[in-house]
Amino acid sequence: MKIGHLVESLDPRGVAAALADLAEACPAAGYDVVVVALAPSGETAALSRLERAGATPVELTVAPWDPRAALRVVAALREHDVDLVHTHGARPDVVGSAAAARLRVPAVSTLHHIHSQPADRADRLRRTAKTLARRRFMTRTIATSLLQRDWYHRVAGSTAGLSVVPDGAADPGQGTAEERARFRRGLAVEENEVVAVSVAPMRRGQGQDMLLDAIAEIPADEPLTVVLGGDGPLRPWLESRVASDDALSGRVAFRRSADPVELLRAADVQLHTTRHDTMPRMLVLGHGTGTPAVATRVGGIPEIVTRDTGALTAVDPSRIAEELVRTARDPELRARRGAAARARFLEHFEVSGWARQLGEVYRSALGFADAPSPAELDTPEPAVRP
């Protein structure tokens, strides 16, 4: 089988990173991938990773609302002789379903976001119409979390044609003592100091402002350093706030260009204090590195972090501060939760399992005789709450 994945761009901070992981595991699951991007990203990291993994990346330059978009995607997919189209995102869903119909091949779509709070009745109707169109034109829809399943069921009224398959990731591995020591030297922290790391993208809703509020409540003599990795539109504001506050500047460090996985391997605790999220990839990778988490109880995060692998808190700076201090003061708790996080990653999120589950979806959609039936792949309806 050859599967054509259609994405908006090969932005390494988007779905392309996950598809590069998938490309490494999919041959063992019986298929290969072609990744077609509607627009160039201007970056080469994801493209290079896809090529190294044996996938075929294709970057188009298709302007929004270009009426030729479907034809250009058809030409790219036909050139690589794909058997099935798998779309990721709003515009790829529209263009990909049209291209699949033209090629007469099945189309599968992954839900990467949910829209649980439409602005008004007209917005609600538009989103309902899109969901119903998805049911008509897509052979199967994939939700990455039970949260998405429940939202889909509320809008569509049924989970027929919907499978829940959480995105996986390549095993990031655990950090070594040498890596941790080198990281600590770079931060100039003491031997007994706890290092907590956040690698969530610095954009609206990801909660770094709330995290800084929480850090400001922690006693000054607590041996704790917090590292904010990554980048985003809010980074200049966050850096400015830390620089203007003596308590924060003595405890918070920024590592903009560092590899987030390397930061997680060297950390004692992972912080993910977002206000909303579906199934954050960085939190999954943190579990893979064996790093216990302190995270907010929102979106699909409770499907990653359990009481065994970390602490879930309310969206409240004081509660975040309490859990962070409690975790920092208890090395046995961190060790126990870190081991459980690593085990949970290997059981539920390691990429080979993800590749196998997607392979079953593809084989069913293509009508393989030994594949599961569509009904067998349907996720159970959510329980009705009184």
Side-chain angles (χ1 to χ4, degrees):
M1 291 185 292
K2 185 170 285 188
I3 310 302
H5 288 266
L6 186 63
V7 299
E8 183 63 34
S9 75
L10 297 183
D11 185 334
R13 294 170 293 276
V15 69
L19 292 179
D21 286 355
L22 179 66
E24 295 178 352
C26 65
Y31 56 95
D32 297 306
V33 300
V34 176
V35 181
V36 178
L38 293 175
S41 68
E43 301 186 50
T44 61
L47 187 146
S48 298
R49 279 199 62 210
L50 285 164
E51 290 179 334
R52 289 196 303 270
T56 304
V58 179
E59 284 190 299
L60 305 177
T61 305
V62 178
W65 312 113
D66 186 337
R68 301 166 300 172
L71 294 178
R72 295 193 62 188
V73 170
V74 164
L77 296 175
R78 181 177 284 146
E79 177 184 352
H80 295 285
D81 197 25
V82 304
D83 300 299
L84 181 147
V85 179
H86 189 158
T87 64
H88 306 265
R91 189 161 72 127
D93 284 348
V94 175
V95 176
S97 61
R102 184 70 175 263
L103 291 168
R104 296 187 178 181
V105 299
V108 171
S109 171
T110 291
L111 290 168
H112 289 282
H113 305 284
I114 62 172
H115 305 283
S116 57
Q117 295 180 326
D120 51 30
R121 184 172 182 274
D123 189 30
R124 187 179 298 110
L125 290 173
R126 282 195 296 271
R127 291 176 179 177
T128 300
K130 288 180 181 178
T131 301
L132 295 177
R134 177 191 294 276
R135 290 187 64 184
R136 177 175 179 183
F137 295 110
M138 293 294 178
T139 308
R140 180 154 294 273
T141 294
I142 295 174
T144 60
S145 69
L146 296 177
L147 178 79
Q148 286 180 320
R149 178 203 63 179
D150 294 350
W151 170 80
Y152 186 92
H153 181 265
R154 286 196 300 273
V155 175
S158 167
T159 57
L162 181 76
S163 298
V164 175
V165 182
D167 285 354
D171 186 355
Q174 294 179 279
T176 65
E178 291 77 10
E179 286 177 322
R180 292 189 179 90
R182 186 166 58 248
F183 183 53
R184 287 174 174 278
R185 286 196 297 271
L187 294 172
V189 301
E190 299 294 334
E191 180 66 27
N192 67 331
E193 196 155 349
V194 171
V195 177
V197 167
S198 169
V199 290
M202 296 178 182
R203 58 173 182 256
R204 187 178 297 276
Q206 289 297 299
Q208 285 91 350
D209 58 328
M210 181 170 56
L211 177 57
L212 293 183
D213 290 340
I215 295 168
E217 295 187 18
I218 296 175
D221 59 351
E222 192 69 38
L224 173 70
T225 292
V226 176
V227 178
L228 300 184
D231 201 356
L234 291 184
R235 182 180 57 80
W237 178 85
L238 293 167
E239 289 180 333
S240 175
R241 179 179 170 186
V242 169
S244 64
D245 185 313
D246 290 342
L248 291 176
S249 61
R251 172 161 279 162
V252 178
F254 290 85
R255 290 294 184 273
R256 176 185 178 187
S257 60
D259 181 344
V261 171
E262 290 184 0
L263 293 180
L264 291 170
R265 287 197 196 109
D268 298 302
V269 182
Q270 180 180 12
L271 299 168
H272 198 88
T273 56
T274 181
R275 288 183 170 86
H276 53 76
D277 225 326
T278 306
M279 287 290 280
R281 174 177 168 81
M282 285 297 115
L283 199 46
V284 170
L285 287 171
H287 272 40
T289 63
T291 307
V294 173
T296 41
R297 190 185 291 103
V298 297
I301 288 177
E303 297 177 43
I304 302 172
V305 181
T306 70
R307 67 178 63 186
D308 294 327
T309 69
L312 290 170
T313 82
V315 182
D316 177 80
S318 296
R319 296 297 301 276
I320 293 168
E322 289 172 8
E323 287 295 346
L324 178 52
V325 169
R326 186 168 80 91
T327 304
R329 290 177 176 175
D330 192 337
E332 292 183 3
L333 176 66
R334 295 199 305 273
R336 188 166 62 250
R337 284 178 168 172
R342 172 75 177 161
R344 181 165 175 77
F345 170 85
L346 293 174
E347 182 177 357
H348 295 283
F349 300 108
E350 198 273 329
V351 70
S352 61
W354 182 36
R356 286 194 301 272
Q357 290 181 76
L358 288 180
E360 291 297 284
V361 170
Y362 300 151
R363 290 167 58 81
S364 176
L366 288 165
F368 280 60
D370 58 346
S373 68
E376 289 177 299
L377 291 174
D378 288 348
T379 185
E381 301 278 338
V384 178
R385 297 181 178 88

